[in-house]
Amino acid sequence: MITPTFKVDQDEHSVIICINTPYVRAQDVDLHVQGSEFRFFLRPYFLRLNFPGNLVEDDASSATYDPSAGQFTVKVSKETKGEHFPDLDLLTKLLARRGEPAAATTGSSSADQPKKPLIEVVGETNNADFQEAIDYNWELPQELPAEELLMSNASYGFNNHYSGYFKHVRETANEINDLSDPEKSSAESRRRERIEAEDEKFDEDHYAMDYITQKELEHLLKFKTLWSKELRRIQKNAKEASNPLIQEVSTSADNLDLSSLSIIDHKESLIKFSEKEQTMMRQLPNKEFLLSNQKSTYLGLVDLMFAYSYNHRIFEGENSVESIWCIGKLSATLSYLEQFTTLKDVMIACFRRALAYPLYRNFALCEKVLQDVYVLFKLGKRAILKALLEMKDVFDHHDVYYVYSKIYIDDYCIWIQHASDHVIRTLAHELHHFTVSKDDIGWDLEELETIAREMEQQQQQDE
């Protein structure tokens, strides 16, 4: 069966599902509604959606077919009139089957399927999520489980579910991977290798030159990202509107209820999903995960968003031929299969790699990118998902680096649609107030800047 392309909208009383089914006989369609489940069958198409609330077939429900467009428009009434159904634009989430494990793949190699069975654990957002967000301490280190390396390969990737993808890494042109032997590495050995390589790669002259020529980077520091424009738009709406969906009077960034605002201004949003992104979401497999370490998963997402945001800023919102290397190299999650236990560890790793590898190695630029990451998390999982889908598109089309989509980005795209909004908000709050000092980096940056200033002054005097 073929899953047709579709989109979903809603009004106060019903949901509207537009389904593209060209070249069919409309009279053969079979529609079924039960509770929160909607099913559409018209050979060779089959669509099953699970909504956040219950639906009911009544006299107000209807289905029409436009033969010229090859499109069904199905309108189904909500059981509770006036109820708002969240996340109708997260198509992978709508396609997920409730209470059923993801289908196992047979006949695949070990590199093509997860190391452990994926378990579907779905729970609606409730007070437990809020308590979970409160309980997170992003600075409290946790012990990563020890790995047995004598008889089995290393585990890595999203939720440590993958192995075997780097058996022949030395035979490929993989310039992102820096591990000597990924398949025989542990979390501790990866971190040790990463820190040693960063120390060796750091170039004092390069850093000093970028410091004294920072004026040449002003256009990058002043660049307004799409995400900052969206946050400013929401802040402006919050200040002007008197709609009760805004739960707090304050218009500071930390007090904005972005999930509520998105209900009333969705059509004005600058971060709506394009047709291409919707297609990508529909093509993602329907699975959810029982996470072995939720905190590490969120921290890995911060690392990915820093690498993405650096690339987004230096190329001023566009991708280039260097983007895939830039994102992959700056992300310790991708280049070293790193697992983090504290937010401080993440940010220090991000700053160190941004000061050791790319063309622009400037501390002020790193601080600006950190602000960009905060804005992404403040905007919530839709903005993060849009960034992940952009990364996925870049990695999917590379004949070597597509592997990082398989073991990380695809699963992050699926998982983020079910991630806790409350935890993301607490992490955004932490990022907003987080600072990285130059002493944290471990490379005597203050001393290098002092020497660079003195040499610049001396050069000016000589001239």
Side-chain angles (χ1 to χ4, degrees):
M1 289 295 168
I2 301 172
T3 300
T5 59
F6 69 96
K7 60 182 179 180
V8 182
D9 205 348
Q10 66 179 315
D11 56 31
E12 289 188 0
H13 304 292
S14 58
V15 295
I16 301 96
I17 309 159
C18 296
I19 308 169
N20 295 313
T21 56
Y23 316 119
V24 296
R25 296 176 57 186
Q27 60 266 34
D28 295 336
V29 67
D30 181 18
L31 299 171
H32 178 73
V33 175
Q34 182 176 5
S36 62
E37 184 179 83
F38 167 84
R39 280 185 287 176
F40 172 94
F41 174 69
L42 178 60
R43 191 176 298 273
Y45 298 103
F46 177 75
L47 178 66
R48 175 172 53 188
L49 304 176
N50 276 290
F51 288 92
N54 288 336
L55 304 173
V56 60
E57 287 188 88
D58 57 15
D59 293 340
S61 300
S62 63
T64 59
Y65 181 66
D66 181 354
S68 62
Q71 184 179 82
F72 275 95
T73 302
V74 183
K75 187 174 183 179
V76 186
S77 298
K78 297 176 181 177
E79 186 176 80
T80 304
K81 308 302 181 187
E83 180 183 3
H84 177 79
F85 287 4
D87 299 342
L88 295 188
D89 54 342
L90 303 183
L91 304 186
T92 311
K93 189 174 181 179
L94 289 177
L95 287 166
R97 296 172 290 182
R98 295 183 182 274
E100 297 178 17
T105 303
T106 59
S108 300
S109 65
S110 62
D112 292 329
Q113 56 186 355
K115 183 173 181 288
K116 305 172 186 176
L118 295 175
I119 303 173
E120 188 162 345
V121 181
V122 185
E124 295 183 0
T125 301
N126 51 35
N127 291 334
D129 287 331
F130 185 70
Q131 187 59 44
E132 177 187 37
I134 295 175
D135 291 341
Y136 268 120
N137 184 341
W138 299 106
E139 290 308 312
L140 182 64
Q142 292 179 239
E143 291 293 329
L144 292 170
E147 298 180 41
E148 290 291 336
L149 300 178
L150 296 178
M151 301 300 295
S152 63
N153 288 334
S155 298
Y156 45 75
F158 185 88
N159 202 28
N160 256 355
H161 270 305
Y162 298 90
S163 63
Y165 278 83
F166 295 100
K167 286 181 177 179
H168 307 289
V169 67
R170 292 302 173 191
E171 301 170 17
T172 64
N174 188 334
E175 297 181 359
I176 290 177
N177 171 68
D178 281 330
L179 287 170
S180 57
D181 191 353
E183 296 299 332
K184 296 298 181 182
S185 65
S186 67
E188 292 181 359
S189 69
R190 295 169 200 162
R191 179 163 300 180
R192 185 169 57 250
E193 275 196 63
R194 174 179 62 80
I195 292 173
E196 290 175 357
E198 289 165 359
D199 289 339
E200 183 178 351
K201 177 65 177 175
F202 179 69
D203 188 324
E204 295 181 351
D205 292 337
H206 194 140
Y207 178 80
M209 182 59 66
D210 278 7
Y211 173 74
I212 61 177
T213 59
Q214 182 170 310
K215 289 183 179 179
E216 298 178 9
L217 303 179
E218 283 300 316
H219 67 290
L220 299 180
L221 297 173
K222 293 179 179 179
F223 173 68
K224 302 297 182 185
T225 67
L226 171 70
W227 319 110
S228 64
K229 293 176 182 176
E230 173 68 0
L231 183 59
R232 185 174 295 108
R233 182 191 68 81
I234 293 175
Q235 291 172 334
K236 182 178 179 181
N237 285 357
K239 187 174 183 180
E240 295 176 352
S242 58
N243 194 296
L245 284 176
I246 300 176
Q247 298 176 353
E248 299 186 33
V249 176
S250 171
T251 59
S252 68
D254 279 338
N255 291 326
L256 285 174
D257 189 340
L258 290 147
S259 62
S260 295
L261 283 171
S262 66
I263 295 173
I264 60 174
D265 64 359
H266 176 70
K267 292 181 179 177
E268 299 177 20
S269 175
L270 301 176
I271 56 174
K272 291 187 291 185
F273 295 112
S274 66
E275 288 292 333
K276 180 179 181 180
E277 290 164 340
Q278 292 181 43
T279 299
M280 293 172 69
M281 281 191 280
R282 286 192 294 267
Q283 293 172 346
L284 289 168
N286 306 329
K287 60 183 180 181
E288 298 183 24
F289 312 93
L290 181 62
L291 298 180
S292 58
N293 190 331
Q294 293 194 48
K295 182 179 176 183
S296 180
T297 303
Y298 281 103
L299 293 175
L301 182 62
V302 174
D303 175 68
L304 291 174
M305 290 299 98
F306 187 95
Y308 165 84
S309 297
Y310 183 97
N311 175 77
H312 188 79
R313 177 165 289 278
I314 65 168
F315 292 117
E316 300 181 83
E318 302 290 337
N319 288 315
S320 76
V321 294
E322 296 293 331
S323 290
I324 191 168
W325 179 91
C326 179
I327 295 172
K329 208 67 172 179
L330 262 61
S331 169
T333 299
L334 301 182
S335 57
Y336 277 93
L337 311 177
E338 180 71 272
Q339 301 172 63
F340 295 101
T341 59
T342 70
L343 183 60
K344 184 174 182 179
D345 287 344
V346 180
M347 298 319 306
I348 290 176
C350 290
F351 272 56
R352 280 170 62 92
R353 298 191 70 75
L355 295 175
Y357 287 95
L359 176 62
Y360 302 120
R361 307 176 188 180
N362 182 270
F363 197 86
L365 179 59
C366 291
E367 292 177 320
K368 197 68 177 177
V369 173
L370 173 56
Q371 294 177 24
D372 295 338
V373 177
Y374 154 69
V375 171
L376 273 169
F377 276 81
K378 187 61 189 173
L379 289 173
K381 57 189 178 186
R382 279 176 182 76
I384 296 172
L385 174 58
K386 193 173 178 70
L388 285 169
L389 289 171
E390 184 179 339
M391 289 175 60
K392 172 177 166 58
D393 187 52
V394 171
F395 279 83
D396 279 355
H397 291 88
H398 195 280
D399 57 356
V400 174
Y401 300 144
Y402 73 91
V403 66
Y404 294 105
S405 282
K406 297 290 186 184
I407 66 175
Y408 280 111
I409 303 173
D410 284 359
D411 287 346
Y412 264 112
C413 286
I414 299 167
W415 168 79
I416 192 62
Q417 299 183 50
H418 301 273
S420 167
D421 291 317
H422 301 297
V423 174
I424 291 174
R425 288 173 192 166
T426 63
L427 191 47
H429 177 80
E430 292 294 325
L431 288 166
H432 187 48
H433 297 282
F434 196 90
T435 57
V436 177
S437 72
K438 293 175 181 177
D439 290 337
D440 292 331
I441 306 302
W443 288 332
D444 297 324
L445 301 183
E446 294 278 9
E447 182 179 349
L448 289 174
E449 292 171 3
T450 300
I451 295 172
R453 286 194 300 268
E454 292 174 352
M455 292 181 64
E456 184 183 27
Q457 292 171 0
Q458 183 63 43
Q459 185 178 7
Q460 291 173 350
Q461 291 175 1
D462 293 343
E463 291 176 355

